[in-house]
Amino acid sequence: SLNACRVTDTILTEVANVESFRVALRALKLWAQRRGVYSNVMGYLGGVNWAILVAFICKKYPNAAPSVVLEHFFTLYSLWRWPAPVMLRPIEKDPSLDMTVWDPRENPRDRAHLMPIITPSYPCMNSSYNVSDSTMAIMKAEFERGREFFKTNGQVTSADAYKKLVEPFNLFGEYKHFLEVEVWATNKDDFELWEGWVHS
């Protein structure tokens, strides 16, 4: 239950410029939400995933300004050779605690992961196991869109210039067919449990 706190603390120790990391991460989360790729439950990436990906860039470019971190983010991940894992540090094993860690050589289920983003503290695990073929294809297309944005605009310095990058995804303009799911229950408590299960 303390793993999330430990992972967050470890991520912050891995980056040299915490302020640059935080600004870049906030911008990236805004981008991901507006582009429709921020949801671990729906098979995309959640907060810890985005934090690890941004921290990885910050480690590679420790003195980079947030705008440079964003540019390198889209460049690197649009070209990343998935399922090669993104890791902030090597995977630790502790025989005395004997907890399962992410290791595709030993765990057959880990070999099926499409977009492994490994948590940096023991026990290291894949934080993006919900990613599917279709959600990964959508994220790769969005990474490529971001790379093209920076390629076209060069070094972006004004907030106005970023409006194009973070413009909301036009779901109803991009797709012709939709599936609507209605969830019903006889009382509020049952509804909340059932709706949560259906959503997941």
Side-chain angles (χ1 to χ4, degrees):
S1 61
L2 292 174
N3 216 23
C5 299
R6 292 174 58 247
V7 166
T8 302
D9 290 345
T10 305
I11 290 170
L12 291 174
T13 64
E14 290 293 313
V15 297
N17 186 337
V18 173
E19 187 55 32
S20 183
F21 163 76
R22 284 186 170 142
V23 171
L25 181 58
R26 280 188 200 116
L28 199 69
K29 283 182 172 184
L30 174 67
W31 166 83
Q33 288 166 348
R34 289 195 174 168
R35 299 303 298 170
V37 293
Y38 190 106
S39 175
N40 208 322
V41 170
M42 300 298 282
Y44 296 105
L45 303 180
V48 71
N49 309 122
W50 296 115
I52 293 168
L53 292 178
V54 172
F56 187 81
I57 301 296
C58 289
K59 277 188 79 164
K60 288 179 83 60
Y61 304 96
N63 300 316
S67 60
V68 176
V69 171
L70 287 175
E71 182 176 0
H72 286 308
F73 177 94
F74 289 110
T75 302
L76 180 69
Y77 295 121
S78 65
L79 302 171
W80 192 264
R81 298 174 78 83
W82 304 104
V86 174
M87 298 187 296
L88 295 178
R89 48 168 65 169
I91 292 175
E92 300 172 38
K93 293 192 177 183
D94 189 337
S96 65
L97 293 175
D98 194 33
M99 296 182 84
T100 302
V101 298
W102 187 82
D103 188 344
R105 294 167 300 179
E106 292 181 14
N107 308 322
R109 281 185 17 197
D110 293 345
R111 290 181 208 136
H113 294 166
L114 301 175
M115 198 177 210
I117 301 169
I118 310 305
T119 57
S121 56
Y122 182 85
C124 301
M125 55 186 84
N126 178 16
S127 62
S128 57
Y129 57 86
N130 282 342
V131 172
S132 67
D133 286 320
S134 60
T135 58
M136 186 165 116
I138 291 167
M139 285 188 284
K140 285 166 88 173
E142 288 296 329
F143 294 155
E144 181 59 31
R145 180 183 170 274
R147 185 171 79 94
E148 284 299 317
F149 168 83
F150 282 101
K151 199 168 151 185
T152 304
N153 295 290
Q155 189 67 19
V156 181
T157 54
S158 74
D160 274 351
Y162 283 104
K163 284 181 181 173
K164 178 90 173 130
L165 178 67
V166 299
E167 71 184 4
F169 182 78
N170 183 1
L171 182 71
F172 296 106
E174 289 291 321
Y175 297 101
K176 290 190 272 189
H177 305 323
F178 299 90
L179 178 65
E180 180 179 331
V181 178
E182 290 188 23
V183 180
W184 297 84
T186 56
N187 62 62
K188 185 180 180 210
D189 291 340
D190 286 350
F191 175 80
E192 287 176 357
L193 286 170
W194 178 230
E195 190 272 340
W197 188 85
V198 171
H199 190 196
S200 69

